[in-house]
mmCIF file of all heavy atoms in Angstrom:
data_model
loop_
_atom_site.group_PDB
_atom_site.id
_atom_site.type_symbol
_atom_site.label_atom_id
_atom_site.label_comp_id
_atom_site.label_asym_id
_atom_site.label_seq_id
_atom_site.Cartn_x
_atom_site.Cartn_y
_atom_site.Cartn_z
ATOM 1 N N GLU A 1 -5.601 3.273 4.585
ATOM 2 C CA GLU A 1 -6.037 2.393 3.536
ATOM 3 C C GLU A 1 -6.181 3.114 2.184
ATOM 4 O O GLU A 1 -5.760 2.631 1.152
ATOM 5 C CB GLU A 1 -7.382 1.738 3.898
ATOM 6 C CG GLU A 1 -7.270 0.745 5.020
ATOM 7 C CD GLU A 1 -8.593 0.335 5.618
ATOM 8 O OE1 GLU A 1 -9.549 1.139 5.592
ATOM 9 O OE2 GLU A 1 -8.637 -0.792 6.137
ATOM 10 N N LEU A 2 -6.677 4.305 2.221
ATOM 11 C CA LEU A 2 -6.766 5.148 1.011
ATOM 12 C C LEU A 2 -5.423 5.448 0.415
ATOM 13 O O LEU A 2 -5.219 5.376 -0.801
ATOM 14 C CB LEU A 2 -7.573 6.428 1.347
ATOM 15 C CG LEU A 2 -7.810 7.363 0.141
ATOM 16 C CD1 LEU A 2 -8.690 6.711 -0.901
ATOM 17 C CD2 LEU A 2 -8.447 8.657 0.647
ATOM 18 N N GLU A 3 -4.471 5.752 1.271
ATOM 19 C CA GLU A 3 -3.110 6.053 0.817
ATOM 20 C C GLU A 3 -2.477 4.830 0.216
ATOM 21 O O GLU A 3 -1.822 4.916 -0.810
ATOM 22 C CB GLU A 3 -2.241 6.567 1.983
ATOM 23 C CG GLU A 3 -0.826 6.890 1.593
ATOM 24 C CD GLU A 3 -0.637 8.009 0.577
ATOM 25 O OE1 GLU A 3 -1.647 8.618 0.139
ATOM 26 O OE2 GLU A 3 0.525 8.293 0.243
ATOM 27 N N ALA A 4 -2.708 3.670 0.808
ATOM 28 C CA ALA A 4 -2.176 2.421 0.251
ATOM 29 C C ALA A 4 -2.775 2.161 -1.141
ATOM 30 O O ALA A 4 -2.009 1.811 -2.057
ATOM 31 C CB ALA A 4 -2.498 1.263 1.182
ATOM 32 N N LEU A 5 -4.043 2.359 -1.326
ATOM 33 C CA LEU A 5 -4.679 2.215 -2.627
ATOM 34 C C LEU A 5 -4.088 3.254 -3.633
ATOM 35 O O LEU A 5 -3.833 2.889 -4.798
ATOM 36 C CB LEU A 5 -6.173 2.411 -2.489
ATOM 37 C CG LEU A 5 -6.969 1.299 -1.810
ATOM 38 C CD1 LEU A 5 -8.359 1.778 -1.507
ATOM 39 C CD2 LEU A 5 -6.932 0.055 -2.653
ATOM 40 N N ARG A 6 -3.907 4.461 -3.194
ATOM 41 C CA ARG A 6 -3.378 5.481 -4.103
ATOM 42 C C ARG A 6 -1.956 5.124 -4.552
ATOM 43 O O ARG A 6 -1.669 5.209 -5.765
ATOM 44 C CB ARG A 6 -3.343 6.849 -3.355
ATOM 45 C CG ARG A 6 -2.904 8.016 -4.270
ATOM 46 C CD ARG A 6 -2.786 9.315 -3.466
ATOM 47 N NE ARG A 6 -1.634 9.323 -2.608
ATOM 48 C CZ ARG A 6 -0.399 9.622 -3.052
ATOM 49 N NH1 ARG A 6 -0.179 9.910 -4.340
ATOM 50 N NH2 ARG A 6 0.632 9.644 -2.231
ATOM 51 N N LEU A 7 -1.132 4.775 -3.664
ATOM 52 C CA LEU A 7 0.250 4.481 -4.017
ATOM 53 C C LEU A 7 0.327 3.228 -4.956
ATOM 54 O O LEU A 7 1.060 3.272 -5.936
ATOM 55 C CB LEU A 7 1.128 4.192 -2.775
ATOM 56 C CG LEU A 7 1.323 5.429 -1.858
ATOM 57 C CD1 LEU A 7 2.048 5.026 -0.588
ATOM 58 C CD2 LEU A 7 2.130 6.504 -2.601
ATOM 59 N N LYS A 8 -0.435 2.192 -4.646
ATOM 60 C CA LYS A 8 -0.379 0.925 -5.380
ATOM 61 C C LYS A 8 -1.037 1.084 -6.723
ATOM 62 O O LYS A 8 -0.535 0.629 -7.738
ATOM 63 C CB LYS A 8 -0.954 -0.201 -4.555
ATOM 64 C CG LYS A 8 -0.918 -1.525 -5.214
ATOM 65 C CD LYS A 8 0.487 -2.048 -5.359
ATOM 66 C CE LYS A 8 0.479 -3.409 -5.972
ATOM 67 N NZ LYS A 8 1.615 -3.573 -6.866
ATOM 68 N N ASN A 9 -2.259 1.626 -6.771
ATOM 69 C CA ASN A 9 -3.087 1.617 -7.966
ATOM 70 C C ASN A 9 -3.061 2.851 -8.832
ATOM 71 O O ASN A 9 -3.257 2.757 -10.011
ATOM 72 C CB ASN A 9 -4.515 1.281 -7.598
ATOM 73 C CG ASN A 9 -4.609 -0.050 -6.919
ATOM 74 O OD1 ASN A 9 -4.230 -1.063 -7.476
ATOM 75 N ND2 ASN A 9 -5.218 -0.099 -5.747
ATOM 76 N N VAL A 10 -2.843 4.023 -8.180
ATOM 77 C CA VAL A 10 -2.812 5.297 -8.984
ATOM 78 C C VAL A 10 -1.364 5.583 -9.361
ATOM 79 O O VAL A 10 -1.068 5.890 -10.534
ATOM 80 C CB VAL A 10 -3.384 6.457 -8.155
ATOM 81 C CG1 VAL A 10 -3.296 7.728 -8.929
ATOM 82 C CG2 VAL A 10 -4.888 6.140 -7.852
ATOM 83 N N LYS A 11 -0.452 5.447 -8.422
ATOM 84 C CA LYS A 11 0.965 5.743 -8.724
ATOM 85 C C LYS A 11 1.679 4.506 -9.301
ATOM 86 O O LYS A 11 2.807 4.654 -9.798
ATOM 87 C CB LYS A 11 1.710 6.117 -7.411
ATOM 88 C CG LYS A 11 1.269 7.451 -6.819
ATOM 89 C CD LYS A 11 1.821 8.566 -7.614
ATOM 90 C CE LYS A 11 1.818 9.849 -6.814
ATOM 91 N NZ LYS A 11 2.560 10.881 -7.487
ATOM 92 N N ASN A 12 1.045 3.340 -9.275
ATOM 93 C CA ASN A 12 1.576 2.118 -9.826
ATOM 94 C C ASN A 12 2.941 1.713 -9.282
ATOM 95 O O ASN A 12 3.821 1.285 -9.991
ATOM 96 C CB ASN A 12 1.627 2.189 -11.354
ATOM 97 C CG ASN A 12 0.240 2.262 -11.968
ATOM 98 O OD1 ASN A 12 -0.638 1.536 -11.612
ATOM 99 N ND2 ASN A 12 0.040 3.190 -12.893
ATOM 100 N N LEU A 13 3.092 1.922 -7.991
ATOM 101 C CA LEU A 13 4.349 1.558 -7.335
ATOM 102 C C LEU A 13 4.290 0.128 -6.835
ATOM 103 O O LEU A 13 3.258 -0.417 -6.606
ATOM 104 C CB LEU A 13 4.615 2.493 -6.100
ATOM 105 C CG LEU A 13 4.688 3.983 -6.440
ATOM 106 C CD1 LEU A 13 4.837 4.770 -5.130
ATOM 107 C CD2 LEU A 13 5.845 4.277 -7.366
ATOM 108 N N ASP A 14 5.501 -0.523 -6.720
ATOM 109 C CA ASP A 14 5.481 -1.877 -6.182
ATOM 110 C C ASP A 14 5.313 -1.783 -4.654
ATOM 111 O O ASP A 14 5.453 -0.712 -4.052
ATOM 112 C CB ASP A 14 6.720 -2.662 -6.588
ATOM 113 C CG ASP A 14 8.045 -2.083 -6.028
ATOM 114 O OD1 ASP A 14 8.076 -1.543 -4.922
ATOM 115 O OD2 ASP A 14 9.030 -2.178 -6.763
ATOM 116 N N GLN A 15 5.036 -2.899 -4.026
ATOM 117 C CA GLN A 15 4.734 -2.914 -2.590
ATOM 118 C C GLN A 15 5.920 -2.497 -1.743
ATOM 119 O O GLN A 15 5.718 -1.876 -0.702
ATOM 120 C CB GLN A 15 4.232 -4.298 -2.180
ATOM 121 C CG GLN A 15 2.810 -4.544 -2.670
ATOM 122 C CD GLN A 15 2.209 -5.783 -2.032
ATOM 123 O OE1 GLN A 15 2.746 -6.305 -1.070
ATOM 124 N NE2 GLN A 15 1.098 -6.225 -2.590
ATOM 125 N N ILE A 16 7.085 -2.781 -2.177
ATOM 126 C CA ILE A 16 8.310 -2.429 -1.364
ATOM 127 C C ILE A 16 8.369 -0.890 -1.349
ATOM 128 O O ILE A 16 8.620 -0.341 -0.272
ATOM 129 C CB ILE A 16 9.566 -3.029 -2.003
ATOM 130 C CG1 ILE A 16 9.489 -4.542 -1.854
ATOM 131 C CG2 ILE A 16 10.807 -2.468 -1.319
ATOM 132 C CD1 ILE A 16 10.560 -5.301 -2.639
ATOM 133 N N GLU A 17 8.212 -0.201 -2.488
ATOM 134 C CA GLU A 17 8.269 1.234 -2.561
ATOM 135 C C GLU A 17 7.113 1.833 -1.743
ATOM 136 O O GLU A 17 7.274 2.805 -1.015
ATOM 137 C CB GLU A 17 8.280 1.708 -3.957
ATOM 138 C CG GLU A 17 8.476 3.185 -4.113
ATOM 139 C CD GLU A 17 9.887 3.632 -3.611
ATOM 140 O OE1 GLU A 17 10.808 2.847 -3.616
ATOM 141 O OE2 GLU A 17 9.960 4.831 -3.255
ATOM 142 N N CYS A 18 5.936 1.270 -1.882
ATOM 143 C CA CYS A 18 4.755 1.764 -1.124
ATOM 144 C C CYS A 18 5.042 1.723 0.360
ATOM 145 O O CYS A 18 4.712 2.653 1.076
ATOM 146 C CB CYS A 18 3.508 0.918 -1.486
ATOM 147 S SG CYS A 18 2.938 1.096 -3.158
ATOM 148 N N ALA A 19 5.531 0.617 0.813
ATOM 149 C CA ALA A 19 5.821 0.361 2.232
ATOM 150 C C ALA A 19 6.855 1.430 2.727
ATOM 151 O O ALA A 19 6.646 1.994 3.830
ATOM 152 C CB ALA A 19 6.315 -1.062 2.511
ATOM 153 N N LYS A 20 7.860 1.686 1.911
ATOM 154 C CA LYS A 20 8.865 2.690 2.301
ATOM 155 C C LYS A 20 8.190 4.040 2.420
ATOM 156 O O LYS A 20 8.475 4.777 3.371
ATOM 157 C CB LYS A 20 9.971 2.726 1.288
ATOM 158 C CG LYS A 20 10.917 1.602 1.352
ATOM 159 C CD LYS A 20 12.017 1.681 0.270
ATOM 160 C CE LYS A 20 12.823 0.467 0.251
ATOM 161 N NZ LYS A 20 13.822 0.527 -0.879
ATOM 162 N N LEU A 21 7.404 4.405 1.455
ATOM 163 C CA LEU A 21 6.727 5.747 1.522
ATOM 164 C C LEU A 21 5.764 5.895 2.688
ATOM 165 O O LEU A 21 5.586 6.992 3.208
ATOM 166 C CB LEU A 21 5.987 6.003 0.169
ATOM 167 C CG LEU A 21 6.936 6.220 -1.036
ATOM 168 C CD1 LEU A 21 6.105 6.248 -2.315
ATOM 169 C CD2 LEU A 21 7.734 7.497 -0.881
ATOM 170 N N MET A 22 5.203 4.766 3.081
ATOM 171 C CA MET A 22 4.231 4.823 4.207
ATOM 172 C C MET A 22 4.963 4.545 5.567
ATOM 173 O O MET A 22 4.337 4.559 6.584
ATOM 174 C CB MET A 22 3.081 3.815 4.009
ATOM 175 C CG MET A 22 2.172 4.242 2.921
ATOM 176 S SD MET A 22 0.706 3.145 2.732
ATOM 177 C CE MET A 22 -0.074 3.394 4.302
ATOM 178 N N GLU A 23 6.296 4.357 5.463
ATOM 179 C CA GLU A 23 7.131 4.084 6.645
ATOM 180 C C GLU A 23 6.599 2.940 7.442
ATOM 181 O O GLU A 23 6.382 3.014 8.646
ATOM 182 C CB GLU A 23 7.242 5.363 7.467
ATOM 183 C CG GLU A 23 7.883 6.524 6.703
ATOM 184 C CD GLU A 23 7.983 7.789 7.510
ATOM 185 O OE1 GLU A 23 7.396 7.840 8.645
ATOM 186 O OE2 GLU A 23 8.663 8.696 7.059
ATOM 187 N N THR A 24 6.416 1.822 6.775
ATOM 188 C CA THR A 24 5.914 0.577 7.380
ATOM 189 C C THR A 24 6.627 -0.610 6.728
ATOM 190 O O THR A 24 7.310 -0.467 5.730
ATOM 191 C CB THR A 24 4.375 0.451 7.259
ATOM 192 O OG1 THR A 24 3.922 -0.590 8.081
ATOM 193 C CG2 THR A 24 3.902 0.283 5.841
ATOM 194 N N SER A 25 6.420 -1.762 7.308
ATOM 195 C CA SER A 25 7.003 -2.989 6.676
ATOM 196 C C SER A 25 6.178 -3.389 5.505
ATOM 197 O O SER A 25 5.004 -3.011 5.389
ATOM 198 C CB SER A 25 7.083 -4.120 7.737
ATOM 199 O OG SER A 25 5.789 -4.551 8.065
ATOM 200 N N GLN A 26 6.760 -4.195 4.634
ATOM 201 C CA GLN A 26 6.036 -4.655 3.471
ATOM 202 C C GLN A 26 4.847 -5.517 3.899
ATOM 203 O O GLN A 26 3.778 -5.473 3.304
ATOM 204 C CB GLN A 26 6.956 -5.460 2.556
ATOM 205 C CG GLN A 26 6.257 -5.865 1.238
ATOM 206 C CD GLN A 26 7.225 -6.573 0.280
ATOM 207 O OE1 GLN A 26 8.375 -6.741 0.569
ATOM 208 N NE2 GLN A 26 6.648 -7.070 -0.765
ATOM 209 N N SER A 27 5.024 -6.314 4.939
ATOM 210 C CA SER A 27 3.897 -7.208 5.378
ATOM 211 C C SER A 27 2.751 -6.371 5.953
ATOM 212 O O SER A 27 1.571 -6.661 5.673
ATOM 213 C CB SER A 27 4.376 -8.224 6.388
ATOM 214 O OG SER A 27 4.893 -7.599 7.525
ATOM 215 N N THR A 28 3.073 -5.294 6.663
ATOM 216 C CA THR A 28 2.032 -4.434 7.213
ATOM 217 C C THR A 28 1.331 -3.667 6.077
ATOM 218 O O THR A 28 0.117 -3.549 6.055
ATOM 219 C CB THR A 28 2.630 -3.398 8.190
ATOM 220 O OG1 THR A 28 3.176 -4.130 9.281
ATOM 221 C CG2 THR A 28 1.550 -2.403 8.738
ATOM 222 N N PHE A 29 2.096 -3.216 5.068
ATOM 223 C CA PHE A 29 1.518 -2.576 3.885
ATOM 224 C C PHE A 29 0.524 -3.565 3.230
ATOM 225 O O PHE A 29 -0.595 -3.167 2.866
ATOM 226 C CB PHE A 29 2.559 -2.102 2.911
ATOM 227 C CG PHE A 29 1.970 -1.548 1.655
ATOM 228 C CD1 PHE A 29 1.471 -0.265 1.658
ATOM 229 C CD2 PHE A 29 1.808 -2.299 0.529
ATOM 230 C CE1 PHE A 29 0.829 0.251 0.533
ATOM 231 C CE2 PHE A 29 1.182 -1.821 -0.582
ATOM 232 C CZ PHE A 29 0.702 -0.517 -0.645
ATOM 233 N N GLN A 30 0.941 -4.780 3.054
ATOM 234 C CA GLN A 30 0.083 -5.818 2.453
ATOM 235 C C GLN A 30 -1.228 -6.006 3.228
ATOM 236 O O GLN A 30 -2.281 -6.105 2.619
ATOM 237 C CB GLN A 30 0.781 -7.158 2.296
ATOM 238 C CG GLN A 30 -0.058 -8.271 1.752
ATOM 239 C CD GLN A 30 -0.592 -7.960 0.329
ATOM 240 O OE1 GLN A 30 0.100 -7.424 -0.486
ATOM 241 N NE2 GLN A 30 -1.854 -8.285 0.117
ATOM 242 N N ARG A 31 -1.139 -5.993 4.538
ATOM 243 C CA ARG A 31 -2.370 -6.141 5.363
ATOM 244 C C ARG A 31 -3.239 -4.886 5.199
ATOM 245 O O ARG A 31 -4.488 -5.051 5.115
ATOM 246 C CB ARG A 31 -1.978 -6.296 6.808
ATOM 247 C CG ARG A 31 -1.547 -7.713 7.172
ATOM 248 C CD ARG A 31 -1.436 -7.950 8.694
ATOM 249 N NE ARG A 31 -0.369 -7.182 9.287
ATOM 250 C CZ ARG A 31 0.881 -7.542 9.391
ATOM 251 N NH1 ARG A 31 1.308 -8.664 8.814
ATOM 252 N NH2 ARG A 31 1.762 -6.764 10.012
ATOM 253 N N ILE A 32 -2.701 -3.735 5.150
ATOM 254 C CA ILE A 32 -3.504 -2.505 4.943
ATOM 255 C C ILE A 32 -4.147 -2.523 3.617
ATOM 256 O O ILE A 32 -5.346 -2.239 3.477
ATOM 257 C CB ILE A 32 -2.596 -1.246 5.080
ATOM 258 C CG1 ILE A 32 -2.041 -1.111 6.499
ATOM 259 C CG2 ILE A 32 -3.358 0.003 4.659
ATOM 260 C CD1 ILE A 32 -0.872 -0.107 6.657
ATOM 261 N N LEU A 33 -3.404 -2.894 2.540
ATOM 262 C CA LEU A 33 -3.948 -2.976 1.172
ATOM 263 C C LEU A 33 -5.067 -4.051 1.097
ATOM 264 O O LEU A 33 -6.102 -3.749 0.483
ATOM 265 C CB LEU A 33 -2.830 -3.245 0.230
ATOM 266 C CG LEU A 33 -3.104 -3.130 -1.240
ATOM 267 C CD1 LEU A 33 -3.590 -1.733 -1.634
ATOM 268 C CD2 LEU A 33 -1.942 -3.540 -2.088
ATOM 269 N N SER A 34 -4.845 -5.159 1.680
ATOM 270 C CA SER A 34 -5.848 -6.247 1.642
ATOM 271 C C SER A 34 -7.124 -5.839 2.330
ATOM 272 O O SER A 34 -8.206 -6.093 1.842
ATOM 273 C CB SER A 34 -5.319 -7.486 2.305
ATOM 274 O OG SER A 34 -4.275 -8.041 1.525
ATOM 275 N N SER A 35 -6.966 -5.102 3.420
ATOM 276 C CA SER A 35 -8.159 -4.604 4.172
ATOM 277 C C SER A 35 -8.921 -3.603 3.273
ATOM 278 O O SER A 35 -10.159 -3.646 3.175
ATOM 279 C CB SER A 35 -7.732 -3.964 5.473
ATOM 280 O OG SER A 35 -8.824 -3.376 6.102
ATOM 281 N N ALA A 36 -8.194 -2.711 2.591
ATOM 282 C CA ALA A 36 -8.818 -1.721 1.707
ATOM 283 C C ALA A 36 -9.548 -2.407 0.562
ATOM 284 O O ALA A 36 -10.700 -2.098 0.244
ATOM 285 C CB ALA A 36 -7.809 -0.787 1.195
ATOM 286 N N TYR A 37 -8.898 -3.431 -0.078
ATOM 287 C CA TYR A 37 -9.527 -4.160 -1.179
ATOM 288 C C TYR A 37 -10.795 -4.833 -0.710
ATOM 289 O O TYR A 37 -11.781 -4.825 -1.421
ATOM 290 C CB TYR A 37 -8.562 -5.146 -1.739
ATOM 291 C CG TYR A 37 -7.477 -4.609 -2.665
ATOM 292 C CD1 TYR A 37 -6.243 -5.257 -2.738
ATOM 293 C CD2 TYR A 37 -7.669 -3.502 -3.454
ATOM 294 C CE1 TYR A 37 -5.244 -4.786 -3.563
ATOM 295 C CE2 TYR A 37 -6.672 -3.002 -4.264
ATOM 296 C CZ TYR A 37 -5.465 -3.664 -4.316
ATOM 297 O OH TYR A 37 -4.485 -3.174 -5.130
ATOM 298 N N ASN A 38 -10.737 -5.456 0.473
ATOM 299 C CA ASN A 38 -11.855 -6.125 1.006
ATOM 300 C C ASN A 38 -13.033 -5.207 1.213
ATOM 301 O O ASN A 38 -14.185 -5.506 0.854
ATOM 302 C CB ASN A 38 -11.491 -6.844 2.296
ATOM 303 C CG ASN A 38 -12.598 -7.662 2.865
ATOM 304 O OD1 ASN A 38 -13.465 -7.083 3.563
ATOM 305 N ND2 ASN A 38 -12.655 -8.972 2.605
ATOM 306 N N LYS A 39 -12.783 -4.056 1.843
ATOM 307 C CA LYS A 39 -13.796 -3.104 2.140
ATOM 308 C C LYS A 39 -14.469 -2.526 0.848
ATOM 309 O O LYS A 39 -15.687 -2.430 0.748
ATOM 310 C CB LYS A 39 -13.288 -1.957 2.985
ATOM 311 C CG LYS A 39 -12.959 -2.336 4.405
ATOM 312 C CD LYS A 39 -12.353 -1.176 5.169
ATOM 313 C CE LYS A 39 -12.030 -1.562 6.579
ATOM 314 N NZ LYS A 39 -11.495 -0.426 7.309
#
């Protein structure tokens, strides 16, 4: 979750690029990011 936040908010990458860097699907990345935002 921390890595998802870093890639999206600190590196300012789009979700497709974030998902590639985390080696996951875009929908899984979105779920991880949503969980982090919620927490």
Side-chain angles (χ1 to χ4, degrees):
E1 291 166 331
L2 183 62
E3 179 65 1
L5 289 167
R6 184 184 75 80
L7 292 173
K8 182 69 178 143
N9 299 306
V10 176
K11 294 285 199 170
N12 294 315
L13 301 175
D14 64 36
Q15 287 191 13
I16 295 170
E17 187 63 25
C18 293
K20 286 179 186 175
L21 290 171
M22 289 185 65
E23 299 178 350
T24 190
S25 69
Q26 186 178 354
S27 60
T28 298
F29 176 80
Q30 177 59 42
R31 282 191 293 277
I32 295 165
L33 188 61
S34 292
S35 175
Y37 284 149
N38 183 277
K39 289 177 180 182

